[in-house]
């Protein structure tokens, strides 16, 4: 697993991010588990589909 923290001008509100993921998920292609605050989707790569899990936090820049 790789953890990435994009630069952001301010801390992220995890609840708002999960709500956004849930509202805009593509049925059958993406899933948001609100209990664990994890959004999962498949992305296409040259080697085939890769599962990506996104779990927002409010850590700011680490």
């Amino acid at each position: 697993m790789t953890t990435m923290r994009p630069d952001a001008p301010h801390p992220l509100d995890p609840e708002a991010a999960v709500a956004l993921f849930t509202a805009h998920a593509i049925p059958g292609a993406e899933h948001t588990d609100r209990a664990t605050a994890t959004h999962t989707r498949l992305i296409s790569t040259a080697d085939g589909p890769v599962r990506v899990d996104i779990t927002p936090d409010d850590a700011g820049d680490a």
Side-chain angles (χ1 to χ4, degrees):
M1 176 173 67
T2 300
T3 299
M4 298 172 51
R5 290 192 189 276
D7 291 330
H10 50 78
L12 177 67
D13 178 349
E15 290 181 27
V18 171
L20 178 76
F21 295 150
T22 301
H24 296 281
I26 300 168
E30 299 176 296
H31 172 74
T32 303
D33 183 339
R34 294 190 75 138
T36 63
T38 301
H39 180 74
T40 303
R41 71 174 299 171
L42 296 177
I43 59 169
S44 296
T45 71
D47 295 323
V50 174
R51 177 182 165 159
V52 176
D53 296 321
I54 302 168
T55 305
D57 65 31
D58 60 359
D61 55 30

